[in-house]
């Protein structure tokens, strides 16, 4: 079923929308949740919250692409759960690692001083727009999807060291980019 | 900080590898890496094979040298009508050290020198010279192989966009502001500078000095990395 058809089901308040969403994007959303919370119980909780959020947000929202829409929702739920639990179970280190890598660009306190997150997001999107597709995919996989370096290397047929160095350079470029946009990092 | 919550959906979708096949760029990189691996690996394998083919016969020949020269001396001694003693010595020389021809010569000189003995001596001397020449050839071949091995020892290793520099060649000064340039010969035979700047832009590790030049997407070939006036050659 096409995305617009599933969205139409949401707008029609047809509970089949949830079934179709689970069928088409269940595995995708579960992977995002697992990357962040790293246990089945919490990831199932994230999925349930995601379907509920999608049901509550549509109508009013009518996303063109359902996958990134759901990805953002499940990611937010997973991050909330992660921060609430500060779990140190298997894989949770990966989440901390990925967030810390990006956090080091912002600095320890200036993160809290960033007033307009949407403005920052816009700048980051501008930064990504100027990147090569492969670089952008690696960046997004690491910092949005919180994939491990090994998974990214395996997915994109690169060596882990190549992924690591690429991310190192991209973070440096992002830092310079944000400095030029007026952020003091 | 989670500013990525506002990430543009098209970038989220682009990176959704679970939903899409492997991106075309990655597939191309995979195929290119396979082809590049063959392009680099085959000449190296051919060079190693050639070295083995040259050195091995020389080593084999050296190992069986004493047995090859003795029979010639042996038959010459018989033809010259040597004494039994000298003949026995020569027979023993088939499995003895290369000094056998010298002993044969001493035994020969103790006898009354006859004109007919001179060809045997001459042939023995020639055999000794051949042996010495063979030893020189073998030594030269071994030295050539050793120097070739040293010459091919790279000072910089390139792998999938990452360049690792021999630590001894790394600049001592603060590398962040050390200038570099990467040049090579383009398809027209002209020298071309592919990149230049400061190492801080491309360094990913300091020890060993590791540079990320994947952005340059350099084609296969030989390039020169110049740091602090020092040229470091590397091959893609």
């Amino acid at each position: 079923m096409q995305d617009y058809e599933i969205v139409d089901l949401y707008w029609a308040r047809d509970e089949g929308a949830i079934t179709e969403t689970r069928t088409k994007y269940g595995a995708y959303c579960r992977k995002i949740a697992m990357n962040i919370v790293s246990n089945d119980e919490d990831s199932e909780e994230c999925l349930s919250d995601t379907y509920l959020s999608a049901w509550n947000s549509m109508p009013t929202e009518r996303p063109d692409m359902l996958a990134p829409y759901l990805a953002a929702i499940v990611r937010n739920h997973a991050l909330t759960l992660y921060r609430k639990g500060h779990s140190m179970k298997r894989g949770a280190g990966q989440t901390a690692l990925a967030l810390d890598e990006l956090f080091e660009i912002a600095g320890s306190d200036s993160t809290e001083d960033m007033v307009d997150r949407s403005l920052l997001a816009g700048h980051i999107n501008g930064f990504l727009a100027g990147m090569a597709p492969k670089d952008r995919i690696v960046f997004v996989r690491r910092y949005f999807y919180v994939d491990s370096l090994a998974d990214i290397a395996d997915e994109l047929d690169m060596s882990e060291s190549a992924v690591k160095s690429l991310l190192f350079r991209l973070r440096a470029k992002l830092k310079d980019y944000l400095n030029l946009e007026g952020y003091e990092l | 900080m989670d500013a990525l919550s506002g990430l543009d959906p098209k970038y989220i979708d682009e990176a959704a590898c679970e939903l899409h096949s492997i991106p075309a760029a990655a597939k191309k990189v995979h195929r290119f890496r396979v082809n590049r691996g063959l392009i680099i690996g085959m000449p190296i394998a051919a060079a190693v094979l050639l070295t083995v083919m040259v050195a091995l016969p020389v080593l084999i020949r050296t190992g069986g040298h004493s047995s090859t020269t003795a029979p010639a001396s042996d038959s010459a001694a018989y033809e010259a009508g040597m004494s039994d003693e000298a003949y026995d010595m020569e027979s023993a020389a088939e499995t003895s050290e290369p000094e056998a021809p010298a002993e044969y010569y001493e035994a020969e000189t103790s006898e009354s020198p006859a004109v007919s003995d001179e060809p045997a001596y001459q042939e023995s001397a020639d055999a000794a010279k051949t042996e010495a020449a063979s030893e020189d050839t073998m030594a030269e071949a071994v030295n050539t192989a050793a120097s070739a091995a040293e010459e091919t020892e790279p000072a910089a290793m390139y792998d999938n966009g990452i360049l690792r520099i021999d630590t001894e060649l790394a600049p001592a000064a603060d590398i962040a502001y050390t200038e570099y340039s990467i040049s090579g010969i383009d398809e027209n035979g002209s020298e071309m500078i592919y990149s230049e700047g400061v190492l801080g832009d491309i360094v990913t590790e300091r020890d060993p000095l590791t540079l990320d030049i994947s952005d340059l997407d350099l084609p296969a070939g030989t390039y020169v990395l110049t740091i602090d006036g020092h040229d470091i050659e590397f091959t893609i």
Side-chain angles (χ1 to χ4, degrees), chain B residues 124-211:
Chain B
S124 167
D126 289 344
K129 287 181 184 175
T130 305
E131 177 197 354
S134 298
E135 287 180 350
D136 289 341
T137 305
M138 184 195 71
E140 190 178 340
V142 170
N143 287 337
T144 303
S147 60
E150 288 176 359
E151 287 172 359
T152 57
E153 189 67 31
M157 289 292 293
Y158 177 88
D159 177 32
N160 196 26
I162 305 300
L163 189 61
R164 287 189 179 82
I165 315 298
D166 187 333
T167 308
E168 292 180 358
L169 299 175
D174 186 1
I175 62 175
Y177 301 101
T178 302
E179 294 183 345
Y180 79 95
S181 71
I182 296 175
S183 58
I185 306 296
D186 64 13
E187 53 192 11
N188 297 323
S190 309
E191 186 176 357
M192 178 176 167
I193 294 178
Y194 291 91
S195 175
E196 57 186 357
V198 292
L199 289 179
D201 289 341
I202 59 174
V203 70
T204 61
E205 289 180 29
R206 292 169 186 261
D207 186 19
L209 182 60
T210 307
L211 310 176

Side-chain angles (χ1 to χ4, degrees), chain A residues 25 28 31 65 67-68 71 75-76 79 83 102 106 111 117 120-121 124-125 128-129 133 135-137 139-141 143-145 155-159 161-162 165-166 168-169 173, chain B residues 1-20 22-23 25-26 29-31 33 159-160 162 164 200-205 210 212-215:
Chain A
Y25 295 116
Y28 172 65
K31 173 122 187 330
M65 291 185 287
R75 182 176 182 272
N76 284 338
L79 283 175
R83 290 191 183 106
L102 215 51
T111 312
R117 284 190 189 277
L120 176 62
I124 292 180
N125 285 324
L128 293 176
D135 295 354
R136 188 164 52 232
I137 288 172
F139 186 92
V140 173
R141 291 303 309 190
Y143 301 121
F144 181 86
Y145 287 98
E155 196 73 56
L156 298 179
D157 198 29
M158 296 169 64
S159 68
S161 61
S165 355
L166 178 59
F168 177 92
R169 292 186 58 251
K173 284 186 177 177
Chain B
M1 158 179 154
D2 192 30
L4 293 182
S5 298
L7 205 63
D8 193 322
K10 66 184 177 203
Y11 299 142
I12 300 173
D13 187 62
E14 178 188 49
C17 298
E18 298 86 357
L19 302 179
H20 310 302
I22 295 175
V29 167
H30 173 71
R31 282 199 298 271
R33 284 180 65 203
D159 177 32
N160 196 26
I162 305 300
R164 287 189 179 82
D201 289 341
I202 59 174
V203 70
T204 61
E205 289 180 29
T210 307
D212 185 348
I213 57 172
S214 56
D215 257 7

Side-chain angles (χ1 to χ4, degrees), chain A residues 26-56:
Chain A
Y28 172 65
C29 292
R30 181 173 292 106
K31 173 122 187 330
I32 296 172
M34 277 296 285
N35 277 351
I36 297 172
V37 299
S38 303
N39 69 80
D40 291 333
E41 187 181 338
D42 286 347
S43 67
E44 283 303 317
E45 183 180 339
C46 290
L47 283 180
S48 301
D49 291 343
T50 300
Y51 300 141
L52 181 60
S53 296
W55 179 262
N56 290 337

